[in-house]
Amino acid sequence: MTARSTRCTTAKTRTSRLAAVAAIAVAGSMLLTACGDQTESGSTQEGGSSSAAASKAPLFSKLPADIQKAGVIKVGTDASYAPMEFTEGGKIVGVDPDLGQALSKQLGVKLEFVSGTFDGLITSIYSGRQQLIMSSMTDNKKRQEGLDDNGKKIGKGIDFVDYFSSGVSLLVKKGNPQGVNSLDDLCGKTVAVQRGTIYEDTFKAQATKCGDKKLTIQAFDTDAEAQTRVKAGGAVADLNDYPVAAYIAKTSGGGNDFEVVGSQSDVGLFGIGVSKENTQLRDAVKEALDAIIKDGSYAEVLKKWDVEDSAVKSATINAGK
């Protein structure tokens, strides 16, 4: 579950699906340099699709004419969030890129993933730099309506095609030295989190609840930095989507760096972000998602990455709360 604001930053990898990637993520290795919403790019397919070949795809004709002509959809992501999306060998891989590849077979065009900082992804849709967002982004009313944390209008908002369900979990240092088992246990302590995410919002809400027993929140550009802070003992916990937290705990340091504590909370939907002005693309993506759910390729991707429990039964639009 995830989202953010806009500024020029340097982005590092977020976490890891393979043990080696986990080690890189927690170490905060500088794999990607981002300014706003742009860094290295990767794609779910080799090469482009000619109009002749692409027109044979089931849903090619449903796409906007400019995308049919270009043969490509540019997809913004923050490739530092294993197993959902991360960089390995210079290529963007993970759940979302694999789902992108399955969608591309239905749509008949290449989905080209471009990595940047999470807090610049919605802006990249506003500017037209990207046409979709696939980055474990939680669909919620704030993002749909373009509102900030105080309910102030700051943008047009975006639409979401919902494709994944997940709750959030606390990630603590192995052995749980501070005895953290719930958000209430964090009062009087320091936590680390990726800036602009719903996890930061959750911590802010908890800080209000803690009152005079102050909860200190350290926000970072990437989740990898937040993990590093927890590992070093500078913060007692990070908050993440359950599949990601479980993956980090399993792989980072050979399973010796972190553990997941407490139960999942705030179960919600991840959505593929798209401009409100591009309903034709939104509807084509929804139809493509329903098609891969029906033909089993969606389930195959989730099984590959051990996230079957997060499957949705059908595609929905703006179903997040």
Side-chain angles (χ1 to χ4, degrees):
M1 301 186 166
T2 9
R4 358 232 138 154
S5 53
T6 336
R7 57 168 234 178
C8 186
T9 61
T10 299
K12 300 171 208 131
T13 53
R14 218 189 284 187
T15 57
S16 45
R17 168 144 258 281
L18 305 174
V21 180
I24 291 172
V26 175
S29 300
M30 304 296 286
L31 297 180
L32 303 170
T33 301
C35 184
D37 58 7
Q38 204 177 18
T39 60
E40 297 175 3
S41 65
S43 69
T44 63
Q45 294 178 300
E46 294 296 329
S49 301
S50 68
S51 293
S55 63
K56 298 177 182 177
L59 299 175
F60 179 77
S61 64
K62 300 292 184 73
L63 291 168
D66 60 334
I67 291 177
Q68 292 184 29
K69 182 177 180 180
V72 63
I73 298 173
K74 292 186 177 180
V75 184
T77 194
D78 177 0
S80 59
Y81 205 50
M84 299 304 295
E85 49 269 322
F86 60 102
T87 301
E88 184 176 65
K91 183 179 179 181
I92 299 174
V93 298
V95 176
D96 284 345
D98 281 356
L99 289 176
Q101 185 171 18
L103 292 171
S104 74
K105 292 177 181 178
Q106 295 293 323
L107 297 169
V109 295
K110 177 175 67 172
L111 269 67
E112 181 180 82
F113 281 67
V114 180
S115 186
T117 54
F118 192 89
D119 61 2
L121 294 179
I122 291 178
T123 302
S124 76
I125 294 292
Y126 292 163
S127 70
R129 192 185 304 276
Q130 315 299 346
Q131 293 154 310
L132 294 177
I133 296 169
M134 288 187 73
S135 193
S136 310
M137 182 173 282
T138 300
D139 172 11
N140 58 33
K141 297 301 181 184
K142 183 175 71 174
R143 290 174 180 147
Q144 292 172 22
E145 298 172 9
L147 306 177
D148 66 12
D149 291 341
N150 298 314
K152 180 181 178 181
K153 189 78 171 177
I154 56 173
K156 303 174 184 177
I158 60 174
D159 283 340
F160 289 95
V161 178
D162 302 313
Y163 69 101
F164 195 88
S165 176
S166 177
V168 298
S169 295
L170 288 165
L171 187 71
V172 302
K173 194 171 182 178
K174 188 73 172 182
N176 194 9
Q178 297 293 320
V180 172
N181 291 296
S182 69
L183 289 171
D184 289 339
D185 293 334
L186 299 174
C187 294
K189 298 180 172 62
T190 297
V191 294
V193 70
Q194 184 175 12
R195 182 179 293 110
T197 62
I198 62 161
Y199 320 121
E200 185 179 18
D201 294 342
T202 298
F203 278 155
K204 287 179 179 178
Q206 182 61 35
T208 299
K209 186 178 179 182
C210 288
D212 293 339
K213 199 174 180 182
K214 185 179 179 182
L215 170 61
T216 301
I217 302 168
Q218 297 180 346
F220 298 91
D221 287 331
T222 70
D223 190 59
E225 293 172 286
Q227 292 171 42
T228 300
R229 191 67 174 157
V230 173
K231 183 181 177 182
V236 301
D238 181 15
L239 190 64
N240 242 312
D241 301 302
Y242 175 75
V244 177
Y247 177 74
I248 296 166
K250 180 180 179 180
T251 58
S252 181
N256 295 314
D257 290 340
F258 302 103
E259 64 181 81
V260 176
V261 297
S263 57
Q264 290 189 57
S265 60
D266 297 331
V267 177
L269 294 167
F270 290 173
I272 300 171
V274 60
S275 170
K276 285 186 173 295
E277 299 172 355
N278 203 343
T279 56
Q280 187 176 356
L281 175 59
R282 180 199 67 192
D283 293 345
V285 170
K286 179 187 182 298
E287 195 168 343
L289 179 58
D290 276 327
I292 66 173
I293 291 172
K294 184 176 180 179
D295 71 18
S297 53
Y298 171 84
E300 289 176 5
V301 171
L302 269 57
K303 182 178 180 180
K304 172 184 175 181
W305 296 102
D306 300 322
V307 292
E308 300 101 309
D309 289 346
S310 292
V312 296
K313 294 181 178 179
S314 63
T316 52
I317 293 176
N318 295 336
K321 298 179 179 181

